[in-house]
């Protein structure tokens, strides 16, 4: 048998395996699940063309090489845990302020730019050190040494984890106190107790109360700048909705990145009109059914890894030339979210509406940032938020997608530092007015 014939046979075999796994999941999930199984199987057969020339082992080695190519998601800080109202343990890490040049070891752990290297890698390391040093100087000049600097608290999005803020964490490390936490059932946080025992569904309000528990544990005093991406931005809105007095007293700045205040049931996801309507109609029930057969579905996800890599890239990034290592990092973050967790959280978005709650942030400096090519929380939703917060800085990034903080990290970092600078200036004006 020739190499080409062997590759073709392997491709067909893998596509058939994918079809079988998804079809078995579909039979357990009902007609709608079976429909998804057919689509997934067909797509798996479609990627068989690529597999004629790229074998399974080579693809696996390529993924491993990409995983090793960058230190993405490796930054660690001082760990802590907050306990949610239903007893769920919410994991967080703190990076403390550290004096000294960029690239030195910090209290919270190693930085992203330690060490030296030659050639292109060395230039990239030195460029990262220079950029980080410049951000640190800006923050020192803006905040001064007399007044308490704010703690910046990062809330991540759906199917992600705190590691999705890798580049922002690396840039601010040592210059500001930062807190990074994993939403319930995501990352290193525990599975939501109320969801496991079936006593409480996931709601955006519940996530807002989770954030309050983290703030009480990790930032018991001092000013706070809140940063939220996608579902994390909704969490920040839910905090304001339920704890407006706390927000007025403690929050001095807010960044809402790639998020929405409502109307998510109208999002088309780049699909034709009929396809979008069918998705919104079928998805909640299908995901719920598939979530009950998580073991079978997870096997299907593994078998169709190439297919889902393409889908993840399409819905995560706006440009085709995104760094393959970064694309793979985003893929890993999403792959790590079990299908039953995906199913538990999905219905909460259809009823999410926090437009009125946004007024709680009208009195503080705000950043509203989105990728123009975002198919999940379209930039138009950020423009709507900016209309409610007329003093907010609105930034819509051409060519960027939903994971804009990974796709355009330098731009996002620059605007976050500018937000902290504005928050510091506003705090100084407030102190002068009171004096």
């Amino acid at each position: 048998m020739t190499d080409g014939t062997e590759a073709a046979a392997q491709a067909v075999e893998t596509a058939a395996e994918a079809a079988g796994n998804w079809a078995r999941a579909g039979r357990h999930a009902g007609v709608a699940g079976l429909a998804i199984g057919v689509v997934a199987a067909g797509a798996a057969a479609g990627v068989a063309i690529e597999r004629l020339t790229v074998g399974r082992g080579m693809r696996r080695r390529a993924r491993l090489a990409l995983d090793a190519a960058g230190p993405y998601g490796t930054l660690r800080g001082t760990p802590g845990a907050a306990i949610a109202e239903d007893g769920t343990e919410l994991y967080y890490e703190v990076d403390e302020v550290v004096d000294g040049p960029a690239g030195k070891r910090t209290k919270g752990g190693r930085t992203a730019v330690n060490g030296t290297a030659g050639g292109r890698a060395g230039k990239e390391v030195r460029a990262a050190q220079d950029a980080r040093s410049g951000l640190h100087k800006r923050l020192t000049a803006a905040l001064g040494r007399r007044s308490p600097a704010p703690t910046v608290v990062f809330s991540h999005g759906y199917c992600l984890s705190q590691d999705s803020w890798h580049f922002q964490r690396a840039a601010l490390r040592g210059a500001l106190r930062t807190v990074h936490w994993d939403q319930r059932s995501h990352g290193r946080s525990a599975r939501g107790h109320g969801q496991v025992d079936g006593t409480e569904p996931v709601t955006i309000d519940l996530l807002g109360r989770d954030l309050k528990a983290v703030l009480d544990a990790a930032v018991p005093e001092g000013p706070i700048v809140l940063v939220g991406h996608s579902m994390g931005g909704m969490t920040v809105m839910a905090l304001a909705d339920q704890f407006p007095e706390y927000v007025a007293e403690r929050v001095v700045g807010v960044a809402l990145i790639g998020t929405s205040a409502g109307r998510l049931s109208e999002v088309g996801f780049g699909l034709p009109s009929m396809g979008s309507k069918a998705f919104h109609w079928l998805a909640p029930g299908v995901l719920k059914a598939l979530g009950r057969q998580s073991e079978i579905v997870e096997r299907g996800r593994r078998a169709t890894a190439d297919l889902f890599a393409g889908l993840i890239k399409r819905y995560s990034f706006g440009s085709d030339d995104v760094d393959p290592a970064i694309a793979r990092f985003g893929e890993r973050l999403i792959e790590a979210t079990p299908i039953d967790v995906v199913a538990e959280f999905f219905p909460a978005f259809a009823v999410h509406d926090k437009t009125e709650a946004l007024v709680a942030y009208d009195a503080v400096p705000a950043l509203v940032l989105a990728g123009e090519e975002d198919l999940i929380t379209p930039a138009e939703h950020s423009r709507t938020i900016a209309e409610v917060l007329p003093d907010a800085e609105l930034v819509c990034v051409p060519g960027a997608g939903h994971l804009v903080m990974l796709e355009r990290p330098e731009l996002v970092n620059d605007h976050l530092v500018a937000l902290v600078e504005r928050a510091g200036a506003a705090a100084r004006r407030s102190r002068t007015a009171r004096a």
Side-chain angles (χ1 to χ4, degrees), residues 36-82:
I36 284 187
V38 171
V39 171
V47 298
I49 295 174
E50 174 192 349
R51 298 181 176 189
L52 294 177
T53 55
V54 182
R56 180 184 297 180
M58 183 177 294
R59 290 193 310 277
R60 181 176 178 276
R61 288 193 295 273
R63 284 195 288 267
L64 291 173
L66 289 173
D67 291 346
Y72 309 131
T74 62
L75 299 178
R76 301 269 65 89
T78 302

Side-chain angles (χ1 to χ4, degrees), residues 117-128:
R120 178 178 176 182
K123 291 180 181 178
E124 291 176 352
V125 168
R126 288 189 291 275

Side-chain angles (χ1 to χ4, degrees), residues 18-19 22-23 25-26 29-43 279 282-287 290 297 304 307-308:
W22 277 100
V31 175
L34 185 59
I36 284 187
V38 171
V39 171
F279 176 84
L282 289 172
V286 172
L287 285 173
L290 294 178
V297 174
T304 56
L307 162 66
F308 282 99

Side-chain angles (χ1 to χ4, degrees), residues 9-301:
Q10 182 184 36
V12 172
E13 178 186 351
T14 305
E17 177 186 356
N21 284 331
W22 277 100
R24 282 191 291 275
R27 284 198 297 273
H28 288 281
V31 175
L34 185 59
I36 284 187
V38 171
V39 171
V47 298
I49 295 174
E50 174 192 349
R51 298 181 176 189
L52 294 177
T53 55
V54 182
R56 180 184 297 180
M58 183 177 294
R59 290 193 310 277
R60 181 176 178 276
R61 288 193 295 273
R63 284 195 288 267
L64 291 173
L66 289 173
D67 291 346
Y72 309 131
T74 62
L75 299 178
R76 301 269 65 89
T78 302
I83 305 301
E85 60 187 31
D86 64 353
T88 301
E89 186 173 287
L90 304 170
Y91 179 84
Y92 66 82
E93 293 180 357
V94 179
D95 287 350
E96 301 286 355
V97 175
V98 175
D99 291 326
K104 296 298 183 181
R105 187 176 179 86
T106 70
K107 181 177 180 180
R110 63 184 177 85
T111 71
V113 294
N114 270 343
T116 59
R120 178 178 176 182
K123 291 180 181 178
E124 291 176 352
V125 168
R126 288 189 291 275
Q129 290 174 331
D130 291 343
R132 183 166 172 265
S133 178
L135 294 179
H136 286 204
K137 289 176 181 178
R138 281 177 56 187
L139 288 169
T140 300
L143 300 174
R145 296 293 184 182
R146 296 182 181 179
S147 60
T151 296
V152 183
V153 181
F154 290 85
S155 298
H156 68 79
Y158 179 48
C159 298
L160 299 171
S161 74
Q162 63 174 270
D163 291 341
S164 62
W165 297 108
H166 175 88
F167 291 106
Q168 291 66 50
R169 186 172 190 169
L172 298 179
R173 191 160 237 205
L176 286 171
R177 187 173 189 266
T178 59
V179 174
H180 306 260
W181 70 292
D182 291 325
Q183 303 247 25
R184 64 173 53 225
S185 303
H186 290 69
R188 294 171 176 82
S189 284
R191 288 282 279 113
H193 288 189
Q195 292 74 64
V196 171
D197 61 23
T199 59
E200 183 177 14
V202 173
T203 64
I204 301 300
D205 283 339
L206 175 61
L207 303 184
R209 297 193 293 274
D210 285 352
L211 174 56
K212 178 61 162 54
V214 171
L215 294 173
D216 289 343
V219 200
E221 59 183 8
I224 298 169
V225 171
L226 297 172
V227 182
H229 168 252
S230 193
M231 183 178 74
M234 302 172 204
T235 301
V236 168
M237 298 176 207
L239 175 79
D241 194 23
Q242 299 171 95
F243 305 98
E245 297 86 2
Y246 177 90
V247 167
E249 179 184 352
R250 298 287 305 279
V251 177
V252 297
V254 63
L256 301 169
I257 299 175
T259 190
S260 172
R263 298 180 18 252
L264 286 168
S265 61
E266 301 172 13
V267 174
F269 300 108
L271 300 171
S273 176
M274 290 302 295
S276 173
K277 291 178 181 178
F279 176 84
H280 285 292
W281 180 54
L282 289 172
V286 172
L287 285 173
K288 184 176 180 180
L290 294 178
R292 296 195 188 105
Q293 302 294 330
S294 58
E295 184 177 343
I296 295 174
V297 174
E298 293 301 341
R299 288 203 299 269
R301 288 173 75 179

Side-chain angles (χ1 to χ4, degrees), residues 366-380:
L367 167 66
V368 180
L369 188 147
E372 285 283 10
E373 303 303 320
D374 192 333
L375 297 176
I376 297 177
T377 51
E380 190 59 36

